[in-house]
Amino acid sequence: MPSAVYVLAAGIFAMVTSEFAVAGLMPQLAAGLGVDVARIGYLITVFAVAMAVGGPVLTLALLRIRPKAALMVVFAVFLAGNVLAALATTYSVLVVARVISGVASQAFFGIAISLCGQLVEERVRGRAIGVAMNGLMLGTLLGLPLATFAGGQYGWRAAFWTITLLTVLAALLTQFQVRDPGRAVRREAADFRVFRRPKLLLALVSSTLIIGATFSAFSFFTPILTEVSGFSPGAVPLLLLGYGAATVIGNSVVGRLADRHTVSTLAVGTLLNAVFLTGFALFTDVPAAALGFLLAIGLAGVTMNPAMAVRVQRAGNTSPLVNTVHSSFITLGVMLGSSVGAGLIEPYGLRAPIVLGAATAVAAVVTILPAFRTGQPVLPAPEVCCASTAG
């Protein structure tokens, strides 16, 4: 596996650490900016909306330049957002900072995953994407605790300065370790025409549902574990650490399976996730069982990312725009799962989001099944993003 793929994982790690930082800094941010915690919570929504809407726009604007140069531009934009966040003295300024960071984060995901597809042979593309996506899993496992620790010990600004340092290091590694695969060639008609393909549209819907299923439950793990399962608040960080470790393991396994068994991996993994979510809903009040199902969800939930990406690339192409739009559909799944799940808690209780997740996972399986009937191409569709000049 080229070292560049691991470097791209480092960049994704920095992006994800920034994405999750606000969740771990809510009390400090509220006190420092003189607003209530609810308003700080809106910063998470703002970041997600900026990712979903602004990411593809920025990617489209960068299609004229080489992929590596595009990544460096995105790093610069992301760095500006985090520096602005670290220097913010008002809530409004922090909102602007989070919008800038969110737009850059989504664009980075799309361009980086596209670059993975260009740096390796097609037969190991899923494995390469799995390695890069470990940056996401490690961001969940280590990034959030890192930002929370820095903020707790040295103030919330220190957390954003830490992310800024991570970003600079990732940018330097990218500059010196990532090979530019080719010359960017913008073909707007081809870029947009690919989204007319039914296979691609169905794959995008599947990704939304797969991720939405997990985040319906994941968004509320802390109150579920403390109020229903009976774990102490002090135990929850360790439980979530175990969940994060499970995602790293599951992502590595799926990455190895995604190339030769793309659709089967998605179908089986998502069906297992539906079973695990159902078990979690039924036995939430049994601590040992709840812990077992929690770890199982970690193995089979967000870890479908490499197979999802390979399916989308084969149904469409490996262009940055296709991959960024795919990331936006994934973000849409996060937003829908968490928001609909939140709306179910008051009338139906904390188990309701888990039940929603199980039902959503079943719906995701239904959208995967047509791919067995139509089959998946052995090779991806012709590329539209670049003409190779690499030697």
Side-chain angles (χ1 to χ4, degrees), residues 19 208 211-212 215-216 219 329-339:
E19 179 181 355
T208 301
I211 297 303
F215 270 84
S216 296
S219 302
F329 272 81
I330 290 173
T331 301
L332 178 62
V334 174
M335 294 167 61
L336 289 175
S338 57
S339 60

Side-chain angles (χ1 to χ4, degrees), residues 288-349:
L291 175 58
F293 284 117
L294 178 80
L295 297 177
I297 293 167
L299 289 171
V302 296
T303 56
M304 293 298 109
N305 265 296
M308 285 157 43
V310 170
R311 183 187 178 194
V312 164
Q313 289 181 358
R314 288 177 176 171
N317 54 55
T318 62
S319 72
L321 185 60
V322 167
N323 285 280
T324 304
V325 169
H326 181 217
S327 294
S328 291
F329 272 81
I330 290 173
T331 301
L332 178 62
V334 174
M335 294 167 61
L336 289 175
S338 57
S339 60
V340 176
L344 294 175
I345 291 175
E346 184 174 348
Y348 301 109

Side-chain angles (χ1 to χ4, degrees), residues 2 18 29 45 48 57 97 117-118 126-127 187 205 234 238 253 267 307 309 314 316 329 339 383 391:
S18 178
L29 285 167
T45 304
V57 175
Q118 299 173 53
R127 183 178 173 187
R187 300 174 183 171
V205 171
L238 294 176
V253 173
R314 288 177 176 171
F329 272 81
S339 60
E383 309 298 341

Side-chain angles (χ1 to χ4, degrees), residues 159-196:
F160 286 108
W161 285 123
T162 300
I163 295 166
T164 297
L165 177 60
L166 290 174
T167 304
V168 170
L169 292 175
L172 289 173
L173 286 171
T174 301
Q175 178 63 35
F176 294 109
Q177 295 294 321
V178 175
R179 173 178 62 86
D180 204 323
R183 174 176 55 86
V185 179
R186 183 167 182 173
R187 300 174 183 171
E188 290 186 356
D191 288 335
F192 288 105
R193 199 161 46 235
V194 70
F195 292 104
R196 299 177 184 175

Side-chain angles (χ1 to χ4, degrees), residues 29-350:
L29 285 167
L33 297 174
V35 299
D36 57 37
V37 171
R39 290 191 71 190
I40 298 300
Y42 287 129
L43 293 174
I44 298 174
T45 304
V46 164
F47 193 95
V49 172
M51 288 179 69
V53 178
V57 175
L58 178 58
T59 301
L60 190 61
L62 295 174
L63 288 180
R64 292 184 182 274
I65 64 178
R66 292 170 177 259
K68 179 178 175 179
L71 280 182
M72 299 311 294
V73 171
V74 172
F75 269 126
V77 175
F78 185 76
L79 190 64
N82 277 284
V83 170
L84 184 61
L87 297 174
T89 56
T90 66
Y91 178 80
S92 298
V93 172
L94 190 56
V95 168
V96 173
R98 296 305 285 169
V99 168
I100 294 171
S101 298
V103 169
S105 178
Q106 191 80 310
F108 187 91
F109 270 88
I111 297 170
I113 296 303
S114 172
L115 193 53
C116 276
Q118 299 173 53
L119 290 173
V120 300
E121 297 179 13
E122 200 279 335
R123 63 184 179 83
V124 293
R125 185 170 292 166
R127 183 178 173 187
I129 293 171
V131 169
M133 291 306 294
N134 266 333
L136 169 62
M137 308 307 161
L138 289 172
T140 306
L141 177 64
L142 301 175
L144 176 57
L146 175 64
T148 303
F149 173 79
Q153 294 294 314
Y154 307 106
W156 62 269
R157 297 181 191 279
F160 286 108
W161 285 123
T162 300
I163 295 166
T164 297
L165 177 60
L166 290 174
T167 304
V168 170
L169 292 175
L172 289 173
L173 286 171
T174 301
Q175 178 63 35
F176 294 109
Q177 295 294 321
V178 175
R179 173 178 62 86
D180 204 323
R183 174 176 55 86
V185 179
R186 183 167 182 173
R187 300 174 183 171
E188 290 186 356
D191 288 335
F192 288 105
R193 199 161 46 235
V194 70
F195 292 104
R196 299 177 184 175
R197 299 177 184 176
K199 283 185 179 180
L200 176 57
L201 296 176
L202 192 60
L204 293 173
V205 171
S206 294
S207 294
T208 301
L209 294 173
I210 290 168
I211 297 303
T214 298
F215 270 84
S216 296
F218 174 79
S219 302
F220 310 100
F221 273 173
T222 296
I224 289 170
L225 292 171
T226 55
E227 297 180 29
V228 183
S229 301
F231 290 101
S232 67
V236 171
L238 294 176
L239 300 179
L240 294 181
L241 191 66
Y243 171 85
T247 66
V248 173
I249 296 170
N251 182 76
S252 299
V253 173
V254 171
R256 290 181 175 273
L257 296 173
D259 294 303
R260 291 184 175 273
H261 310 286
T262 309
V263 178
S264 298
T265 300
L266 280 174
V268 173
T270 305
L271 184 59
L272 284 174
N273 198 34
V275 172
F276 298 148
L277 285 163
T278 300
F280 191 36
L282 291 174
F283 299 101
T284 320
D285 55 351
V286 181
L291 175 58
F293 284 117
L294 178 80
L295 297 177
I297 293 167
L299 289 171
V302 296
T303 56
M304 293 298 109
N305 265 296
M308 285 157 43
V310 170
R311 183 187 178 194
V312 164
Q313 289 181 358
R314 288 177 176 171
N317 54 55
T318 62
S319 72
L321 185 60
V322 167
N323 285 280
T324 304
V325 169
H326 181 217
S327 294
S328 291
F329 272 81
I330 290 173
T331 301
L332 178 62
V334 174
M335 294 167 61
L336 289 175
S338 57
S339 60
V340 176
L344 294 175
I345 291 175
E346 184 174 348
Y348 301 109
L350 282 167

